């Protein structure tokens, strides 16, 4: 039986059908992503799986005593708790289990034949092992560091921002490791380094997971199954996002219906994924293979490691070389720019030019100063030093708070403030519905007030409105937050077809890889590195450099310890009596085993032979012979290597 099993489940709100007789199963070890447009029923399905939402028909079955936990969009904490206490509050049962386990260990030392104590001890051991909770203190410390919560450790959790509180709640759930973990947009409010840590943790600790996400690289790395909610039904696809794209396209082709627009988007997305990601990964396979070989060679030589680091840095610089300006119009000229937020320095002495066709992604950890740089470019804040020279141009700005929208207006009034129902988009005169249809709005939304729309719907309106403006540059701060994947595809298409400059702040690696032609990377030393490589590729390079740096430090430390240790005169190397005998006998034994293996293989190929003895018996004997053969060969090779070393030293 599955851990969770939905059978013929239906759900509707008033007259609107959301799910119709759907089946959904969660097996142990599965990591299932729920995909679909905003409003299709993803969150409804998640809540039914969790058990917090009633459904109209069908049944929900779960295994006995199963522990299911879900990340709340607006988590609640105890009034007096600081960050560490809020995280530890979810670990009470695990800590009690560990305390009782330690008590039983002491009791069993004096009464080791007590069956009742032994059974309880074994049960607790399995429970702690299942939740991977033996070293909880170390794991708490690590997750505080990796989710950038360490500096807030003693701060009241209710004073944190909404995004920081979500990180606290996520950290606690990950440490609890329930039987089934449900996550709705877990990568929101996480920077790219936190997302990578989350990916590694979910994979390493084999979580059973159901999640909703618009982060396509995260889906591709984490998901073992994709379930799409569309037209009130569910469709299953094996694997992550790239597999979903291929299988979905095949499904649409098989239907042979009028899905031209969606098919075009899917095909372009699939082609980009194959060309932009897989080709790059394939190209890197040879380099990574060489790197692994070099690492093995370099373990005894810090100089080699440093050389490898320099080679990798040169490879990064190869991507970062300056590109020709082609006499493009200058939009911004930045000279010796420094930025502060209160007393905290964010950026020091940055100089660059931004030209009319630049497509730039500003990336870096949370709190590094990305949004502050945007505000400086917009003139909303003044630099602490340096200057930003601006040309004559019009800016279209999209911010996370959607300041350009008026909640009291409906969509017609928003897009046609001077009356009528027509809108101009890049020189084309369109009916507002024809335009908004491309942003997945049905006709009945035209009379809806902006204030009643969901966060994702408001984002779609804001983006659609932005692309009606006659501007020279688009500046977008986290535009993919609260968007579903189909809307992100539309956004990407609009940005690709935009003829001006684009500056975006985003943690979405897939989005940045697809759109950006240049990166502004906030570094820990408060500088910005300019790069022309793909963001995901840059992150891979940085990982390799960090690995090499750590390896060099380890090797240097080992050599220093070796030099400090008293040196003993090496004993002369020689074969033992047993090794001498083995050196004479092993070749004969190996030859005999080869003959026996050949005989068994011949018998397996002869029905008259294997029918007499039994196919299973012969296969078992052959396996045992081959295992013994491998052991004997390994033993002989080890002795022969020792003989070679003796001869070299003599």
């Amino acid at each position: 039986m599955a851990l969770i099993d939905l059978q013929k489940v239906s759900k509707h709100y008033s007259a609107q059908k959301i799910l119709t007789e759907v089946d959904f199963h969660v097996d142990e070890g599965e990591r299932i992503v729920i995909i679909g447009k905003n409003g299709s029923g993803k969150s409804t399905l998640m809540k039914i799986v969790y058990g917090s939402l009633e459904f109209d028909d069908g049944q929900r079955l779960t295994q006995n005593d199963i522990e299911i936990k879900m990340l709340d969009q607006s988590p609640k904490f105890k009034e007096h708790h600081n960050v560490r206490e809020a995280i530890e509050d979810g670990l009470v049962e695990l800590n009690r289990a560990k305390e009782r386990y330690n008590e039983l260990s002491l009791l069993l030392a004096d009464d080791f034949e007590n069956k009742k104590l032994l059974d309880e001890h074994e049960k607790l051991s399995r429970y702690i092992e299942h939740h991977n909770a033996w070293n909880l203190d170390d794991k708490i410390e690590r997750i505080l560091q990796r989710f950038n919560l360490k500096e807030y450790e003693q701060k009241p959790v209710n004073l944190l921002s909404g995004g920081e509180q979500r990180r606290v709640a996520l950290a606690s759930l990950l440490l609890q490791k329930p039987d089934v973990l449900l996550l709705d947009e877990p990568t929101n409010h996480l920077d790219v380094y936190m997302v990578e840590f989350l990916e590694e943790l979910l994979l390493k600790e084999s979580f059973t997971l159901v999640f909703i996400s618009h982060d396509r690289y995260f889906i591709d790395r984490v998901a073992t199954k994709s379930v799409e909610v569309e037209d009130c039904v569910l469709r299953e696809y094996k694997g992550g996002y790239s597999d979903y794209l291929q299988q979905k396209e095949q499904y649409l082709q098989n239907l042979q219906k009028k899905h031209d627009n969606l098919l075009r988007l899917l095909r372009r997305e699939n082609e980009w994924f194959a060309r932009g990601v897989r080709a790059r990964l394939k190209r890197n396979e040879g380099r990574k293979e060489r790197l692994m070989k070099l690492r093995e060679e370099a373990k005894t030589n810090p100089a080699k490691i440093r050389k490898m680091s320099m080679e990798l840095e040169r490879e990064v610089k190869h991507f970062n070389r300056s590109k020709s300006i082609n006499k493009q119009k200058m939009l911004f000229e930045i000279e010796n720019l420094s930025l502060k937020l209160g007393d905290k320095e964010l950026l020091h002495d940055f100089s660059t030019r931004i030209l009319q066709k630049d497509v730039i992604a500003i990336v870096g950890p949370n709190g590094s100063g990305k949004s502050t740089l945007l505000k400086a470019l917009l003139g909303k804040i003044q630099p602490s030093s340096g200057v930003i020279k601006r040309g004559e141009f019009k800016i279209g700005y999209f911010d996370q708070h959607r300041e350009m929208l008026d909640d009291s207006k409906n969509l017609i009034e928003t897009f046609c403030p001077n009356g009528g129902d027509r809108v101009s988009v890049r020189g084309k005169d369109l009916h507002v519905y024809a335009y908004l249809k491309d942003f997945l709005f049905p006709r009945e939304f035209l009379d809806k007030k902006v204030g009643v729309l969901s966060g994702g719907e408001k984002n779609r309106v804001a983006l659609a409105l932005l692309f009606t403006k006659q501007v020279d540059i688009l500046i977008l701060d986290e535009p993919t937050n609260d968007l579903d994947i189909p809307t992100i595809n539309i956004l990407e298409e609009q940005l690709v077809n935009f003829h001006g400059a684009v500056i975006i702040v985003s943690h979405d690696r897939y989005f940045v890889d697809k759109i950006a032609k240049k990166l502004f990377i906030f570094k820990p030393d408060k500088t910005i590195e300019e790069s022309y490589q793909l963001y995901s590729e840059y992150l891979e390079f940085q990982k390799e450099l960090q690995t090499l740096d750590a390896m060099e430090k380890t090797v240097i430390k080992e050599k220093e310890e070796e030099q400090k240790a008293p040196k003993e005169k090496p004993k002369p190397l020689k074969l033992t009596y047993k090794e001498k005998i083995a050196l004479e006998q092993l070749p004969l034994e190996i030859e005999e085993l080869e003959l026996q293996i050949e005989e068994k293989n011949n018998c397996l190929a002869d029905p008259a032979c294997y029918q007499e003895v039994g196919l299973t018996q012969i296969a078992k004997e052959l396996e045992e012979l081959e295992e013994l053969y491998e052991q004997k060969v390994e033993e002989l090779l080890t002795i022969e290597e020792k003989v070679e070393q003796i001869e070299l030293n003599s």
Side-chain angles (χ1 to χ4, degrees):
M1 178 184 168
L3 296 180
I4 304 172
D5 194 3
L6 304 185
Q7 297 179 0
K8 303 295 181 187
V9 165
S10 297
K11 176 67 181 175
H12 69 272
Y13 295 105
S14 299
Q16 185 183 3
K17 292 182 179 178
I18 303 296
L19 300 171
T20 304
E21 293 191 349
V22 301
D23 295 329
F24 184 86
H25 319 286
V26 183
D27 292 327
E28 187 173 358
E30 281 192 312
R31 296 184 298 274
I32 304 170
V33 61
I34 303 174
I35 294 174
K37 297 175 185 175
N38 283 346
S40 62
K42 301 190 299 292
S43 295
T44 297
L45 176 61
M46 180 84 89
K47 289 172 185 174
I48 291 172
V49 170
Y50 182 43
S52 62
L53 182 66
E54 294 293 326
F55 44 92
D56 303 315
D57 294 299
Q59 55 182 334
R60 173 182 178 271
L61 305 173
T62 62
Q63 282 195 12
N64 292 336
D65 301 323
I66 192 173
E67 187 181 38
I68 307 169
K69 297 204 172 178
M70 182 172 175
L71 177 63
D72 198 326
Q73 290 283 7
S74 302
K76 301 291 187 293
F77 302 97
K78 291 180 180 174
E79 190 69 30
H80 60 282
H81 274 178
N82 61 31
V83 168
R84 178 176 276 271
E85 288 168 340
I87 290 174
E88 290 176 341
D89 189 49
L91 307 176
V92 172
E93 288 301 318
L94 286 172
N95 281 319
R96 281 181 188 156
K98 287 178 68 178
E99 288 171 10
R100 179 58 179 162
Y101 177 87
N102 292 333
E103 287 174 12
L104 290 171
S105 298
L106 292 173
L107 292 171
L108 285 167
D110 298 323
D111 189 7
F112 59 87
E113 290 185 352
N114 187 316
K115 189 173 186 310
K116 185 178 178 183
L117 293 181
L118 281 169
D119 288 345
E120 187 183 356
H121 190 264
E122 175 62 24
K123 185 179 178 181
L124 285 170
S125 176
R126 287 197 303 270
Y127 175 74
I128 297 166
E129 184 69 34
H130 173 72
H131 292 277
N132 200 8
W134 293 110
N135 55 340
L136 269 181
D137 290 339
D138 291 342
K139 291 176 75 174
I140 291 170
E141 195 64 30
R142 184 166 178 248
I143 211 163
L144 283 169
Q145 295 282 359
R146 297 300 295 271
F147 275 175
N148 283 5
L149 295 169
K150 184 65 179 173
E151 61 183 296
Y152 309 123
E153 185 177 9
Q154 301 303 321
K155 186 175 180 178
V157 68
N158 288 318
L159 296 182
L160 300 184
S161 70
E164 289 162 346
Q165 288 186 3
R166 287 242 316 164
R167 294 211 301 272
V168 172
L170 177 59
S172 184
L173 281 178
L174 292 169
L175 290 166
Q176 292 169 49
K177 198 190 174 191
D179 296 309
V180 180
L181 178 60
L182 309 179
L183 301 176
D184 190 351
E185 293 291 359
T187 63
N188 277 1
H189 309 292
L190 301 185
D191 64 32
V192 66
Y193 304 102
M194 297 176 195
V195 173
E196 287 186 340
F197 168 69
L198 176 61
E199 290 171 349
E200 290 164 7
L201 187 64
L202 291 172
L203 295 173
K204 181 182 177 184
E205 300 206 2
S206 303
F207 276 78
T208 299
L209 179 68
V210 181
F211 68 101
I212 297 168
S213 180
H214 67 265
D215 186 328
R216 289 157 288 182
Y217 279 158
F218 180 78
I219 293 171
D220 213 51
R221 187 167 183 205
V222 171
T224 58
K225 183 167 77 178
S226 303
V227 174
E228 184 175 35
V229 187
E230 187 175 42
D231 299 329
C232 304
V233 299
L234 306 184
R235 294 187 187 90
E236 282 189 13
Y237 302 92
K238 292 179 182 176
Y241 183 66
S242 55
D243 297 310
Y244 156 76
L245 283 173
Q246 293 172 350
Q247 295 168 62
K248 173 73 172 181
E249 184 174 351
Q250 186 61 51
Y251 167 75
L252 292 178
Q253 287 173 343
N254 291 341
L255 285 178
Q256 295 182 344
K257 291 184 177 178
K258 295 179 181 179
H259 289 293
D260 293 342
N261 188 44
L262 181 56
L263 201 59
R264 173 173 54 83
L265 282 172
L266 282 166
R267 188 175 291 111
R268 181 162 58 248
E269 182 85 346
N270 198 17
E271 285 171 357
W272 183 86
F273 195 96
R275 182 177 67 253
V277 180
R278 291 188 175 176
R280 182 174 78 254
L281 292 175
K282 192 172 181 181
R283 187 189 74 203
N284 286 344
E285 281 174 5
R287 177 172 62 81
K288 288 188 177 180
E289 189 177 339
R290 291 193 299 275
L291 178 68
M292 295 309 294
K293 288 179 181 176
L294 280 170
R295 281 181 183 175
E296 290 303 314
E297 293 174 13
K299 281 181 181 175
T300 56
N301 191 340
K304 282 186 181 179
I305 298 173
R306 179 49 48 198
K307 180 174 178 288
M308 289 162 61
S309 291
M310 290 172 66
E311 285 173 357
L312 275 174
E313 285 169 352
R314 279 198 296 273
E315 190 163 356
V316 171
K317 287 174 184 174
H318 165 74
F319 282 99
N320 295 351
R321 62 186 181 278
S322 297
K323 295 193 173 183
S324 60
I325 293 175
N326 295 329
K327 297 183 179 179
Q328 291 180 36
K329 176 183 174 183
M330 189 195 71
L331 302 180
F332 295 98
E333 185 168 10
I334 300 170
E335 295 178 357
N336 309 115
L337 178 68
S338 294
L339 296 172
K340 285 186 177 180
L341 194 62
D343 295 330
K344 182 182 179 183
E345 185 180 41
L346 300 174
L347 180 62
H348 177 70
D349 200 24
F350 175 54
S351 299
T352 193
R353 287 182 172 186
I354 297 174
L355 306 175
Q356 69 184 107
K357 291 193 177 179
D358 277 344
V359 182
I360 300 168
I362 303 174
V363 297
N366 280 350
S368 57
K370 303 182 297 297
S371 295
T372 305
L373 176 57
L374 287 191
K375 289 174 183 174
L377 293 175
L378 291 163
K380 294 190 172 189
I381 62 169
Q382 293 302 311
S384 54
S385 64
V387 294
I388 300 174
K389 298 177 183 177
R390 298 176 180 85
E392 292 294 323
F393 55 86
K394 292 181 180 178
I395 297 175
Y397 176 53
F398 174 89
D399 74 312
Q400 297 179 55
H401 306 293
R402 303 179 287 265
E403 291 177 359
M404 74 282 282
L405 298 182
D406 183 343
D407 283 353
S408 67
K409 292 182 178 179
N410 63 28
L411 295 195
I412 288 281
E413 293 167 335
T414 299
F415 284 85
C416 308
N418 300 318
D421 57 7
R422 312 291 293 183
V423 63
S424 178
V425 183
R426 290 198 293 271
K428 291 182 180 179
D429 183 54
L430 300 171
H431 189 279
V432 68
Y433 169 63
Y435 176 57
L436 288 178
K437 186 170 64 173
D438 287 340
F439 285 83
L440 308 179
F441 284 108
R443 186 180 290 275
E444 56 267 25
F445 268 66
L446 295 182
D447 296 324
K448 280 194 174 185
K449 299 287 186 186
V450 170
V452 304
L453 301 180
S454 68
E457 288 165 346
K458 284 183 179 179
N459 269 8
R460 274 192 277 154
V461 173
L463 288 169
L465 186 61
L466 184 65
F467 290 113
T468 65
K469 308 298 183 186
Q470 297 298 315
V471 297
D472 302 291
I473 180 170
L474 293 172
I475 296 181
L476 302 98
D477 192 359
E478 293 290 358
T480 64
N481 276 3
D482 297 319
L483 294 184
D484 52 25
I485 291 173
T487 310
I488 295 174
N489 274 314
I490 293 166
L491 169 61
E492 289 165 350
E493 186 176 14
Q494 293 284 341
L495 290 174
V496 167
N497 293 327
F498 181 69
H499 294 301
V502 177
I503 301 176
I504 54 175
V505 166
S506 181
H507 295 303
D508 188 327
R509 296 158 295 174
Y510 190 105
F511 176 71
V512 171
D513 276 357
K514 196 170 177 183
I515 297 302
K517 297 175 183 174
K518 184 178 181 180
L519 303 177
F520 284 176
I521 305 161
F522 272 78
K523 308 290 286 185
D525 62 358
K526 316 303 179 189
T527 62
I528 286 178
E529 176 184 345
E530 295 186 52
S531 172
Y532 287 93
Q533 66 191 126
L534 292 168
Y535 188 31
S536 56
E537 209 165 60
Y538 167 82
L539 293 169
E540 283 297 317
F541 279 129
Q542 293 308 304
K543 275 187 182 177
E544 289 175 3
L545 288 170
Q546 289 167 9
T547 302
L548 291 171
D549 188 49
M551 188 190 297
E552 182 181 22
K553 288 176 182 174
T554 301
V555 170
I556 290 171
K557 185 179 178 182
E558 287 174 353
K559 282 193 170 290
E560 287 173 351
E561 289 173 354
E562 189 180 314
Q563 288 169 0
K564 289 177 186 176
K567 293 185 179 179
E568 296 179 7
K569 190 174 180 181
K571 296 178 181 178
L573 196 63
K574 61 181 181 179
L575 293 181
T576 64
Y577 175 75
K578 187 178 178 182
E579 286 171 334
K580 288 177 182 177
I581 298 297
L583 190 61
E584 294 177 3
Q585 293 181 348
L586 281 171
L588 299 174
E589 292 176 13
I590 289 168
E591 188 176 341
E592 176 60 28
L593 284 168
E594 286 172 345
L595 291 172
Q596 292 180 41
I597 289 169
E598 184 179 1
E599 182 183 330
K600 296 295 179 188
N601 279 318
N602 290 337
C603 187
L604 283 173
D606 182 2
C609 179
Y610 68 68
Q611 285 173 3
E612 180 181 343
V613 182
L615 193 62
T616 304
Q617 180 62 29
I618 295 172
K620 183 182 176 184
E621 291 172 0
L622 177 60
E623 186 180 350
E624 291 171 352
L625 286 170
E626 287 175 338
E627 189 177 333
L628 183 59
Y629 175 80
E630 292 294 332
Q631 291 173 3
K632 297 288 184 182
V633 168
E634 184 65 31
E635 188 180 348
L636 179 60
L637 288 173
T638 302
I639 296 171
E640 287 179 342
E641 284 175 8
K642 190 173 180 180
V643 170
E644 287 178 12
Q645 193 62 44
I646 292 169
E647 290 173 352
L648 284 171
N649 294 340
S650 62

